């Protein structure tokens, strides 16, 4: 088969479409013939040499895919050759074939095209596990999503609205904020021109956000805690603004607030399977109802993953950038 390899870390040109051995499914695994994959920020860090795949994972980039089941390893039940699926991966999605633990497979949701289903596993699992399983966002609460027009952000806005929350977003341009409004966002904050703490206070009559989904890490840590409501929950999923910040524990104490941080890729198989099962149960029906849809900025050939990485690195996209296998 062909896959995107990274012979030497570096810029987008480090991604090389090359012939490699076919993967073979082991116990409890399924071989998927890939139709499409999608770009995640983590793939860029991996390409640059800053984010090695966890032990046992494929060396090739790609944290999600859609495709058809091509073979079943020993001990797999509930799936059949030819099934149309999408999958959460620890790596290897930028390839014509990939091996997936059976617990990380999902059927293509009703109403979603097989190719576009590649845009779903990473964003639905990350948003569901952080905003709902950890931070327990409830109907009528206010969620602040930083980077509202990102792959993660566009799914967070839709899921929170579908479940009855009020949603605030930050983004860097009016075009991106307008798109978030189309998805249902109620409070629009341009992070280049406005102070999100002041804007959240104003929009919530001083109460603050009940839950914040944060991609910035250190840079926003203190301001996020300031923007939280009493009993608020800050869920950190990214470090685009650095890893080491200063936390005002006094503010956290007085608000009886909580800070969590999780990374999906390196979690044990059992935890990933539990998240995937919860997503299938709670999120998948929302696609059939038309409440939620994949947001795909563009589709590019997988062999030209470099072009897709350039788009994402320049933040030239809204939602997800797909890589379509030949
Ligand atoms: N922990 C996990 O398990 C996990 C899983 C998946 C993703 N993530 C993380 O989630 C984040 C989003 O991922 P993605 O793939 O959806 O990325 P993406 O589409 O590339 O989006 C990155 C976002 O960052 C926003 N941004 C940049 N500077 C900002 C600032 N100062 N304030 C607010 N937003 C800012 C961008 O907004 P503009 O375009 O408007 O500038 C853009 O929306 C990344 O940090 C990624 O690493 C974590």
């Amino acid at each position: 088969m062909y896959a995107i390899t990274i012979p030497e870390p570096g810029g987008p040109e480090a991604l090389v479409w090359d012939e490699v051995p076919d993967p073979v499914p082991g116990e409890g695994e399924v071989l998927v013939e890939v139709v499409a994959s999608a770009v995640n920020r983590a793939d860029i860090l991996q390409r640059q040499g800053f984010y090695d795949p966890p032990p046992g994972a494929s060396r090739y980039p790609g944290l999600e895919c859609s495709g058809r089941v091509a073979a079943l390893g020993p001990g797999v039940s509930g799936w059949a050759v030819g099934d149309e699926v999408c999958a959460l991966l620890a790596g290897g999605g930028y390839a014509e074939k990939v091996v997936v633990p059976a617990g990380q497979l999902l059927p293509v949701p009703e109403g979603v095209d097989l190719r576009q289903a590649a845009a779903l596993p990473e964003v639905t699992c990350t948003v569901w596990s952080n905003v709902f399983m950890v931070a327990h966002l409830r109907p009528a609460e206010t969620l602040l999503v930083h980077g509202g027009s990102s792959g993660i952000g566009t799914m967070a806005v839709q899921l929170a609205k579908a479940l009855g929350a009020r949603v605030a977003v930050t983004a860097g341009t009016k075009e991106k904020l307008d798109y978030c409004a189309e998805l249902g966002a109620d409070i629009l904050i341009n992070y280049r021109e406005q102070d999100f703490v002041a804007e959240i206070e104003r929009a919530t009559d001083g109460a603050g956000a009940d839950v914040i989904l944060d991609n910035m890490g250190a840079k926003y840590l203190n301001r996020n805690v300031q923007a939280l409501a009493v009993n608020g929950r800050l869920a950190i999923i990214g470090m685009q603004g650095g890893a080491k910040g200063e936390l005002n524990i006094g503010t956290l104490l007085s608000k009886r607030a909580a800070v969590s941080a999780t990374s999906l890729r390196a979690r044990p198989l059992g935890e990933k399977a539990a998240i995937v099962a919860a997503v299938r149960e709670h999120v998948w029906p929302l696609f059939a109802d038309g409440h939620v849809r994949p947001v795909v900025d563009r589709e590019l050939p997988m062999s030209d993953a470099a072009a897709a990485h350039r788009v994402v690195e320049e933040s030239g996209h809204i939602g997800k950038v797909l890589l379509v296998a030949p």
Side-chain angles (χ1 to χ4, degrees):
M1 70 164 186
Y2 273 78
I4 289 286
T5 62
I6 309 174
E8 288 293 333
E13 67 288 347
L15 301 171
V16 179
W17 185 240
D18 203 357
E19 196 165 6
V20 298
D22 278 21
V24 178
E27 178 83 29
E29 292 178 335
V30 170
L31 180 69
V32 173
E33 198 162 328
V34 174
V35 166
S37 185
V39 179
N40 285 280
R41 287 252 140 196
D43 308 342
I44 291 165
L45 295 176
Q46 181 172 342
R47 189 202 74 213
Q48 293 168 332
F50 299 131
Y51 191 25
D52 282 339
S58 166
R59 302 297 304 165
Y60 316 131
L63 299 178
E64 55 196 335
C65 74
S66 61
R68 294 183 184 85
V69 172
L72 304 179
V76 173
S77 58
W79 299 99
V81 171
D83 281 352
E84 295 192 337
V85 294
C86 54
L88 181 70
L89 308 171
Y94 292 16
E96 290 179 307
K97 294 174 188 169
V98 67
V99 153
V100 189
Q104 287 164 226
L105 280 181
L106 285 152
V108 173
E110 206 184 313
V112 176
D113 163 65
L114 176 58
R115 235 176 24 229
Q116 299 226 332
L120 299 179
E122 186 70 21
V123 294
T124 52
C125 291
T126 302
V127 172
W128 188 262
S129 59
N130 282 281
V131 174
F132 296 93
M133 293 170 82
V134 175
H136 300 291
L137 180 71
R138 288 182 287 266
E141 285 193 327
T142 299
L143 169 70
L144 167 61
V145 181
H146 286 302
S149 69
S150 66
I152 292 283
T154 50
M155 185 51 63
V157 172
Q158 293 185 81
L159 290 185
K161 287 307 296 178
L163 296 165
R166 188 166 181 235
V167 179
V169 292
T170 60
T173 67
K174 181 177 180 312
E175 181 208 357
K176 289 181 174 182
L177 288 171
D178 288 346
Y179 194 88
C180 293
E182 278 173 38
L183 291 177
D186 307 281
I187 303 161
L188 310 174
I189 304 168
N190 186 326
Y191 70 77
R192 295 183 200 277
E193 296 169 359
Q194 294 169 293
D195 171 16
F196 74 83
V197 180
E199 292 305 316
I200 284 292
E201 271 178 17
R202 206 162 53 81
T204 59
D205 294 330
D210 300 292
V211 175
I212 300 178
L213 183 63
D214 174 67
N215 59 328
M216 297 304 293
K219 185 174 175 186
Y220 278 5
L221 181 58
N222 252 321
R223 282 196 283 156
N224 275 334
V225 172
Q226 279 173 41
L228 277 180
V230 168
N231 293 317
R233 291 86 74 196
L234 167 60
I236 302 175
I237 59 164
M239 298 182 288
Q240 288 171 232
K244 288 187 184 171
E246 204 171 275
L247 177 64
N248 186 334
I249 294 170
T251 314
L252 203 63
L253 284 174
S254 65
K255 292 190 175 184
R256 303 185 291 288
V259 181
S260 65
T262 71
S263 161
L264 189 54
R265 189 183 197 183
R267 287 176 86 149
L269 291 187
E271 289 187 21
K272 284 190 195 173
I275 292 167
V276 165
V279 162
R280 186 172 178 172
E281 181 184 347
H282 299 287
V283 178
W284 255 219
L286 301 172
F287 288 97
D289 292 353
H291 283 113
V292 176
R293 61 182 170 83
V295 177
V296 174
D297 184 89
R298 70 190 79 188
E299 300 180 3
L300 291 166
M302 189 175 281
S303 54
D304 197 9
H309 274 216
R310 286 191 189 99
V311 170
V312 172
E313 278 183 271
E314 289 161 6
S315 250
H317 63 297
I318 288 177
K320 301 285 291 191
V321 175
L322 292 193
L323 297 171
V324 181

